[in-house]
C-alpha cells in the first residue's frame, strides 16, 4: 500500500490566457489531495472517494466505469473515475504492467472544481502512488508530463500544463506553452482564499473565451494584455514587491471579468477583500464560481469574507514549496 499527496494551487496571474500560449504564474498552496493505492490480484479498479465535494461513494469496475452500479449520478462517477483511470493508465505504462489492478482511496481538502487544481492534485498524487506501488519512481518532470497528458485527454484538449506542473513541483512556477520552469525562492505570499461553494464548468468557460476571441479583436487583445501583465508580475515577484503584485492582480481580475468568466459571487468576494484592505484580489482558475485569492497579512480580509453573502468558506493557505510527496 502506497500513499502520495500533492498540493492544489492558485493563480497569481494568467489563467485562460495560458491556453493561447501566454505565460501564467500559478503557486502551490498547502491544501492537498491524498491518494492511497493498493495493488489487487486482478485487473480491476476500486475507487473509494470520500472527500471530493461529492457524496462519498465506492465503485469497483473493469474496463468501463459505466458498468458500475452506484447510487450517485453518472457524471459524478465520471468526474471521479476519469482522472483515476488516466492516472492508472499512466502508471501501468511507466511500470510496463498493463494488467495491474488497484484499490484507490482518495481524500482531499481541495474543493472539487473550485479553481484550486483539485483534479491535477489527484492525478499527480495518483500516478506517483501507483507507480511506487509497482516499484517504479518517476522524477517530478516526467510525473508532471504524464499528469498533463491525463488532464489534456479528460478535458478534451482544453488543459494547460500549469496545474499539473505546479502540483508536482510545488512553489511558484512559470508556464508558457510547453515551457515550464520553477521560480527560484519566491516570497511567502499571504494568501487568503474565499470559496462560494460552487464550481464553474471549465470546458464551457474556456469555450466561451475562445468564441469571444474568435469573434472580437478586443478579446484577442485582452488575452494578449493578460500575457503582458504576467510578465510585469514576474518582475514584481522576483523583486518581492507584494504591493505591485496586488495591483497587478486587480488588473488581471478586471481583464478576466471583461472576458466573461467572473460571476456575481466572485465579484462580491473580490470587492469584500478590496474593501477590507487586501493588497490584491482576483478570481482564480476558470471562473464562473469557485474561489478568489487575495493577499493580506492581517485577518481583515478573511473576516470580511466570512461575512460576505455567497461566501461559504474563507481560509488562509500558505505557499507550499514541496510539491508531490510520499506520505
Amino acid at each position: 500500500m502506497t500513499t502520495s499527496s500533492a498540493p492544489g494551487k492558485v493563480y497569481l496571474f494568467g489563467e485562460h490566457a495560458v491556453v493561447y500560449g501566454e505565460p501564467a504564474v500559478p503557486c502551490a498552496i498547502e491544501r492537498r489531495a491524498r491518494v492511497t493505492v493498493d495493488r489487487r490480484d486482478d485487473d480491476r479498479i476500486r475507487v473509494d472517494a470520500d472527500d471530493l465535494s461529492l457524496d462519498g461513494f465506492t465503485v469497483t469496475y473493469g474496463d468501463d466505469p459505466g458498468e458500475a452500479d452506484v447510487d450517485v449520478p453518472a457524471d459524478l462517477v465520471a468526474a471521479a473515475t476519469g482522472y483515476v483511470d488516466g492516472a492508472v493508465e499512466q502508471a501501468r505504462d511507466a511500470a510496463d504492467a498493463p494488467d495491474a489492478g488497484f484499490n484507490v482511496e482518495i481524500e482531499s481538502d481541495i474543493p472539487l472544481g473550485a479553481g484550486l487544481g483539485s483534479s491535477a492534485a489527484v492525478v499527480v498524487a495518483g500516478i506517483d502512488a501507483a507507480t511506487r506501488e509497482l516499484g517504479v519512481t518517476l522524477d517530478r518532470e516526467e510525473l508532471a508530463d504524464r499528469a498533463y497528458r491525463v488532464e489534456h485527454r479528460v478535458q478534451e484538449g482544453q488543459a494547460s500544463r500549469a496545474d499539473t506542473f505546479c502540483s508536482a513541483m510545488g512553489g511558484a512556477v512559470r508556464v508558457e506553452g510547453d515551457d515550464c520552469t520553477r521560480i527560484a525562492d519566491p516570497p511567502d505570499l499571504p494568501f487568503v482564499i474565499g470559496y462560494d461553494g460552487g464550481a464553474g464548468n471549465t470546458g464551457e468557460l474556456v469555450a466561451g473565451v475562445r468564441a469571444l476571441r474568435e469573434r472580437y479583436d478586443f478579446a484577442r487583445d485582452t488575452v494578449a494584455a493578460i500575457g503582458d501583465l504576467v510578465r510585469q508580475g514576474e518582475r514584481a515577484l522576483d523583486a518581492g514587491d507584494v504591493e505591485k503584485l496586488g495591483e497587478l492582480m486587480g488588473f488581471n481580475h478586471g481583464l478576466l471579468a471583461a472576458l466573461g468568466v467572473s460571476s456575481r459571487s466572485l465579484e462580491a468576494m473580490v470587492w469584500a477583500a478590496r474593501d477590507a484592505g487586501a493588497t490584491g484580489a482576483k478570481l482564480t482558475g476558470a471562473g464562473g464560481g469557485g474561489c478568489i485569492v487575495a493577499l493580506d497579512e492581517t485577518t481583515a480580509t478573511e473576516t470580511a469574507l466570512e461575512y460576505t453573502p455567497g461566501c461559504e468558506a474563507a481560509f488562509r493557505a500558505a505557499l507550499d514549496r514541496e510539491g508531490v510527496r510520499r506520505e
Side-chain angles (χ1 to χ4, degrees), residues 123 176 280 299:
V123 173
E176 185 172 5
T299 61

Side-chain angles (χ1 to χ4, degrees), residues 34-125:
R34 295 164 189 83
V35 180
T36 299
V37 173
D38 191 13
R39 187 167 184 180
R40 296 169 59 100
D41 294 331
D42 56 29
D43 63 355
R44 292 170 71 78
I45 302 168
R46 178 180 185 272
V47 179
D48 189 348
D50 289 331
D51 289 312
L52 285 175
S53 298
L54 308 174
D55 293 330
F57 66 88
T58 300
V59 54
T60 303
Y61 57 92
D63 292 334
D64 182 8
E67 297 172 355
D69 181 17
V70 293
D71 188 24
V72 293
D75 59 341
L76 297 189
V77 176
T81 59
Y83 292 107
V84 175
D85 282 348
V88 167
E89 180 183 333
Q90 289 296 326
R92 287 169 170 168
D93 179 70
D96 193 22
D99 298 322
F102 301 99
N103 294 323
V104 181
E105 182 178 352
I106 304 169
E107 300 175 304
S108 180
D109 50 32
I110 309 168
L112 184 70
L116 299 182
S118 58
S119 63
V122 167
V123 173
V124 168

